């Protein structure tokens, strides 16, 4: 049994207001090509296939076309569980009518768990899809009042996996959850506040492979076969340094599964660049990837006129600007996003406040105002 | 080939703000029972399965359960085309993966048409699903600039049906459109303004059966086998006198198809009752169907305090009230809905205006105001 483990496609997602659909289309084409190249038996998507409960129709069409390609054209089975971003009910529509074609859509968590035996060219394996569910849902479904945390809920669900007779075939758990000690990114929506969503990785260790979704960075916890594939695309600048991939898994009867990360590159990266405006504008000329999605950290310590406009003329996909130079005096160089949006007048007022220790007087504000007006009138553009 | 023709389920629809989901659940259970009782080979739903592009999750679940029952439990094939209320893209998701199970979801109109051969216990037949599409879509898809009306678009599509070699098997067209001369209800959303959506029934006459959707009243046009099944439920008070049904069709090799209407009754009707308030309140005691969805036409010619509250204590599902008595002097007894919503003060002002031919003066308004206040204080409740 050879399969690809992936998750968190978030089809329909935007990055700072920019549609990522074309990037997602490229990523899906790569995933399909890799699945064919490696002759996998199945593709497993561990939740958050869409970015929200009601995805745009274009995202629905994209997924539908992908499934036609993989299942219809290449006879590769697909198993999709729903994550915390998905609408489990909508994802589960007509699931029974799709099953015989090799498409396994697992919507709302229904208990007892329904294991799925997938047929492989070399050998078969049992898959245990566990769609994302709140602990209260599991507590109610199992009529067990002691289930008051994500960990206890998962423990109860995994008990069913343990009890199931797999006829000595490997057991693969597919789940969407947060393992204690994992690395987060900014683009994940917390499952619960205050750390109540943490689950001990040790719970999953007994199974042959655990295909996890929710976290966007690829990683394993405790043992190598309990792992997050991560998302195929970067969905926030906090993921700028991550290497995105899908996970190729081959189960073995006697040994640990063989695991390989297959990189995904859409050609347009998500990066952070730093420097002063003049240098960055110069560098753009020699940057073959100037059209990457960029966050720019400007080190200039003085006010600048329309830095975003100037940057975008050189880097068309600057999505976010941080004026780190203006904030150097502060304890932290981490500038709130809303601060960046302010106009020159407000920005200078801020700056003055920081260096002078007191706000601009009304007369000073007036003076600044006319000064800025003069400057704008003197602009060529 | 024996099948049920139905359409315009509008799952998720409300009637004057009231959810109809439970009524729809009852109707679907009756349809399933009738399909089993009559041992049909297929169920054909000619568009507007949902009420809007993004139906509520509860409507999605209802349909999914219905399909499990019909297809999974009773092996009855289901063909669903999309109407003008549906999102064709969403409806078409993973359609290819459902097909082998016997579920044919036909989303966006794709050309050339894809005929579907359905297998029957006695004989087979070809079905030609034509999802709803604007003329411009057909014009573009067929690259034919002369297509500038619904009729010309349908003519071009039906040409493909005519050309298709059905190996002497019957041809059944499934379409969602407006046939010239048909009877409309208030709950249908016009396909086009000014009558540009009209299609001549004669276009459809050559086929063995034409299963139409869009109009909510069952009817045929021109020939008996070109017909609308109508909706299974009443979706407006303009449908109060319609008898709702699904259409049982049995095709024959040599003769015209046999057609029978099978009534659908959810137990809670949509009715209009008329009379004065006191009489209606009395009659409620002997009305075994007092919980029907009601529009009440009150003949009282004087102002009434909280007639809706009083009516609802006797008829719990009054959804709409018309004060026909107050409007008797007007040319038409047809009262706009917004008029009903007005308070006593405004209503009396209206009334005064009608009988006196001039509006209340400021002093008269003041007097009326204090009079109404006194009346309200004197109320027991």
């Amino acid at each position: 049994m050879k399969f690809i483990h992936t998750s968190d496609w978030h089809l329909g997602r935007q990055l700072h207001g920019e549609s990522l659909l074309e990037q997602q289309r490229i990523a899906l084409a790569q995933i399909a090509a890799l699945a064919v190249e490696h002759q996998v038996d199945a593709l497993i998507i561990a939740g958050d296939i869409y970015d929200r409960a009601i995805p745009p129709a274009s995202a629905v069409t994209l997924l539908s076309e992908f499934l036609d390609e993989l299942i219809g054209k290449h006879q590769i089975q697909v198993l999709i569980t729903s994550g915390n971003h998905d609408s489990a009910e909508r994802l589960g529509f007509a699931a029974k009518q799709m099953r015989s074609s090799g498409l396994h859509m697992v919507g709302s968590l229904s208990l007892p768990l329904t294991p799925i035996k997938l047929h492989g060219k070399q050998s078969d394996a049992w898959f245990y899809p566990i769609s994302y569910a709140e602990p209260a849902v599991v507590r109610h479904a199992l009529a067990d009042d002691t289930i008051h945390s994500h960990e206890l809920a998962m423990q109860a669900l995994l008990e069913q996996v343990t009890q199931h007779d797999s006829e000595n075939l490997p057991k693969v758990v597919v789940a969407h959850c947060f393992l204690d000690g994992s690395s987060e990114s900014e683009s994940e929506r917390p499952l619960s506040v205050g750390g109540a969503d943490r689950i001990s990785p040790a719970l999953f260790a007994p199974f042959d492979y655990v295909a996890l979704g929710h976290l966007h960075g690829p990683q394993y916890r405790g043992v190598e076969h309990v792992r997050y594939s991560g998302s195929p695309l970067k969905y926030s600048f906090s993921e700028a340094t991550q290497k995105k991939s899908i996970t190729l898994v081959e189960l073995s009867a006697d040994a640990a599964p063989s695991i390989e990360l297959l990189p995904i590159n859409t050609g347009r990266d998500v990066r952070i660049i730093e420097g002063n405006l003049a240098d960055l504008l110069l560098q753009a000329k020699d940057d073959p990837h100037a059209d990457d999605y960029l966050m720019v950290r400007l080190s200039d310590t003085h006010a600048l006129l329309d830095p975003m406009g100037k940057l975008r003329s050189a880097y068309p996909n600057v999505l976010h600007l941080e004026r780190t130079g203006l904030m150097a005096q502060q304890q932290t160089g981490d500038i709130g996003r809303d601060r960046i949006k302010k106009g020159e007048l407000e920005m200078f007022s801020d700056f003055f406040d920081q260096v002078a220790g007191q706000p601009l007087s009304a007369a000073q504000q007036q003076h600044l105002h006319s000064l800025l007006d003069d400057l704008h009138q003197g602009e060529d553009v």
Side-chain angles (χ1 to χ4, degrees), chain A residues 141-195:
Chain A
L142 295 179
D144 179 347
D145 281 349
T146 67
I147 295 174
H148 49 78
S149 72
H150 280 264
E151 177 157 289
L152 288 167
M154 189 56 79
Q155 197 166 22
L157 296 173
L158 293 177
E159 181 59 30
Q160 299 189 357
V161 180
T162 305
Q163 295 299 325
H164 180 253
D165 178 12
S166 70
E167 307 142 332
N168 285 324
L169 290 175
K171 289 184 174 185
V172 179
V173 174
V174 184
H176 194 88
C177 59
F178 190 101
L179 290 202
D180 203 16
S182 306
S183 310
E184 295 168 83
S185 310
E186 277 173 14
S187 53
E188 297 136 8
R189 188 194 297 159
L191 302 177
S192 170
V193 289

Side-chain angles (χ1 to χ4, degrees), chain A residues 59-73:
Chain A
V60 174
T61 302
L62 177 61
L63 180 59
S64 193
E65 289 170 354
F66 174 84
L67 295 173
D68 286 351
E69 159 101 10
L70 226 65
I71 300 170
K73 195 168 162 197

